[in-house]
Amino acid sequence: MDSRSDVIISLIKREVKPALGCTEPIAVALACAKAAENLPAGKAERLKVYVSPNILKNGMGVGIPGTGMIGLHIAAALGAVCGKSEYGLEVLKDVDGVAVETAKAMVDCGNVEILVSDDPHILYVKACAFSDEHEADAIIRDSHDNIIECDVDGKVIFRTEDDEKDGGSDACGDYGITVKEIYDFAGTAEYNDIKFILEDRTLNMALAREGMKGSYGLCVGQTISDDKEALFGNSFMTYAMFLTAAASDARMAGCTLPAMSNSGSGNQGITVSMPVIAYAERYGIDDERLARALIMANLVAIHIKAYLGRLSALCGCVVASTGAASGIAWLKGASYEQVCATIKNMIGNITGMVCDGAKVGCAMKVASGVSVAIQSAMLAIENRCVSSNDGIIEDDIEKTIANLGRIGSFGMKETDRVILDIMVCK
């Protein structure tokens, strides 16, 4: 590999990784696990956790793996009771019935407090664990598994050397890649260097199968599948919609299987990959072509996410389904220009879908995103593209993506505040 290929692959490996449970409560669990581990007794009796508003929004209504419960309180308690920080975003993979009961008791006794932080960073968690007159703190910032500082009894025992970011931008950083570079890399990278991405299929297909057989959330995937003959039709679009939605059904309802995440979100990782995987399953695509399409899909999502930051008022489905659309277009033999058209068609269509927190209803948004992704790719393959006369679309694909980023990261800040106010005041 040349140095630039190394950089791109390291970017993918940084942003595409297994995650067990919704990553906002998992970030809380991870911080609590780390803080509890640093206590002299290695066990916390009480927790006080400060979170940014976006962490609160995405942790209020989502299922916590293995508990049958929702919310940040049980996630925090589980992190302290059975979490292992060395597992990163799979911090709760050792959860069992005993741990759940212990964590529930901790919550029921009022020993877990969740507070909104005034830190300016959009993704921020500070966990304070207390035991035997000792206090240990752990801070996560900017990405869901990025522990930047640990204190014990007021003494810093660990601190990263990262420069402080500008007041809460929390950008993802994509090493300056472009859609053209992504397109070229997906088509020319050595297969042996990128075939690791097929783990996407292993993890997310397992979630989809679980969602199809279990009773999770709203059962969006099952409902679409069951009615495919009468209402939806037995098309590829229907197949992609129900597989992707089923994986989201399972994950958002607290399934104990990990997802392969993208840019810190398991739901985004599912939405990026499952439509592409569904296409490969339906049409007999070999592993190398699937790997290249998944590289395309994941990198497009990472690239767009760099303009938005990890958390915003814009639903991650917009970003993730744009990546999926690009991967499907690539499998259909799209040229670079047609991939650009695919992205423009997506941005011209579902920009503005809001994020009102992580929850089982996200599976409906996922299904909608898949539908639009296939529509956008097929139009582009026929050389039909939203023109630069329309809204935020420009001739230059990078300017178009930047416009989407401006809307999501700056234009919708007040929308984010209004959504959270509605949620907490219900």
Side-chain angles (χ1 to χ4, degrees):
M1 287 188 295
D2 60 32
S3 58
R4 186 59 179 171
S5 292
D6 287 340
V7 167
I8 295 172
I9 287 172
S10 71
L11 170 64
I12 298 167
K13 290 183 175 180
R14 187 189 77 191
E15 299 294 350
V16 180
K17 62 180 76 170
L20 176 60
C22 178
T23 47
E24 280 71 56
I26 289 303
V28 168
L30 178 58
C32 290
K34 188 66 175 179
E37 288 167 0
N38 287 333
L39 285 167
K43 180 181 178 181
E45 297 171 355
R46 182 168 61 89
L47 298 168
K48 183 179 286 189
V49 188
Y50 300 86
V51 300
S52 56
N54 283 74
I55 292 286
L56 179 65
K57 181 180 77 172
N58 282 337
M60 290 173 63
V62 70
I64 307 304
T67 67
M69 299 174 68
I70 62 172
L72 296 179
H73 287 80
I74 188 65
L78 268 182
V81 168
C82 70
K84 289 185 173 62
S85 64
E86 66 192 81
Y87 294 161
L89 294 179
E90 295 184 274
V91 59
L92 297 183
K93 72 178 181 180
D94 288 345
V95 64
D96 58 20
V98 173
V100 171
E101 291 306 312
T102 304
K104 285 181 178 179
M106 193 176 188
V107 173
D108 291 343
C109 290
N111 288 331
V112 181
E113 191 174 3
I114 305 293
L115 303 167
V116 178
S117 169
D118 59 5
D119 186 275
H121 289 83
I122 295 170
L123 197 165
Y124 180 86
V125 180
K126 179 179 179 179
C128 307
F130 303 89
S131 181
D132 298 328
E133 299 183 353
H134 294 284
E135 176 182 347
D137 304 341
I139 297 174
I140 286 176
R141 194 188 71 204
D142 300 333
S143 62
H144 295 80
D145 56 355
N146 183 34
I147 299 173
I148 65 160
E149 184 176 309
C150 295
D151 305 348
V152 176
D153 294 329
K155 180 180 179 181
V156 176
I157 62 171
F158 168 79
R159 179 179 289 157
T160 63
E161 296 179 358
D162 293 344
D163 292 334
E164 184 75 11
K165 290 188 177 182
D166 178 31
S169 65
D170 294 60
C172 298
D174 64 358
Y175 304 139
I177 61 175
T178 64
V179 175
K180 181 64 166 69
E181 186 173 27
I182 292 169
Y183 182 85
D184 291 342
F185 180 79
T188 62
E190 290 290 334
Y191 174 52
N192 284 338
D193 294 336
I194 62 170
K195 64 183 180 181
F196 67 87
I197 201 68
L198 294 173
E199 185 68 8
D200 239 353
R201 177 178 59 189
T202 303
L203 294 187
N204 292 341
M205 184 59 88
L207 265 174
R209 292 190 179 111
E210 179 64 21
M212 288 301 296
K213 70 181 182 182
S215 181
Y216 290 101
L218 298 176
C219 298
V220 177
Q222 287 183 23
T223 302
I224 295 172
S225 178
D226 290 346
D227 287 347
K228 62 178 178 290
E229 297 294 344
L231 184 61
F232 290 98
N234 194 18
S235 66
F236 162 64
M237 181 179 286
T238 301
Y239 183 60
M241 286 173 65
F242 76 65
L243 275 183
T244 310
S248 181
D249 282 326
R251 179 177 177 274
M252 304 310 280
C255 174
T256 55
L257 294 175
M260 186 63 84
S261 68
N262 180 291
S263 303
S265 168
N267 240 18
Q268 286 173 207
I270 289 167
T271 309
V272 162
S273 64
M274 280 309 303
V276 180
I277 294 164
Y279 188 96
E281 293 276 324
R282 186 75 173 230
Y283 297 111
I285 301 298
D286 64 67
D287 281 0
E288 179 172 346
R289 287 184 66 206
L290 173 59
R292 295 186 185 281
L294 287 172
I295 290 291
M296 166 71 75
N298 278 284
L299 279 174
V300 166
I302 292 166
H303 181 39
I304 298 173
K305 196 70 175 173
Y307 286 90
L308 284 166
R310 294 192 182 273
L311 301 173
S312 77
L314 193 69
C315 178
C317 172
V318 175
V319 176
S321 55
T322 302
S326 302
I328 291 170
W330 191 91
L331 285 174
K332 296 282 292 180
S335 65
Y336 164 68
E337 289 76 18
Q338 288 169 329
V339 168
C340 290
T342 300
I343 296 169
K344 291 178 183 180
N345 288 343
M346 289 295 296
I347 293 174
N349 191 330
I350 59 171
T351 295
M353 182 187 285
V354 299
C355 172
D356 56 342
K359 59 207 174 297
V360 294
C362 289
M364 291 191 294
K365 294 184 179 182
V366 164
S368 297
V370 174
S371 173
V372 176
I374 296 168
Q375 175 191 143
S376 296
M378 298 313 297
L379 284 169
I381 291 295
E382 295 297 325
N383 297 312
R384 296 185 174 98
C385 178
V386 176
S387 81
S388 58
N389 294 322
D390 289 19
I392 64 172
I393 306 303
E394 302 205 27
D395 289 329
D396 187 311
I397 187 61
E398 300 302 332
K399 289 181 180 178
T400 300
I401 292 171
N403 291 344
L404 173 64
R406 285 180 60 196
I407 290 170
S409 60
F410 298 107
M412 296 179 75
K413 280 188 175 181
E414 182 60 26
T415 301
D416 216 15
R417 286 191 284 269
V418 172
I419 290 170
L420 181 61
D421 183 60
I422 291 170
M423 291 173 65
V424 299
C425 293
K426 288 196 296 185

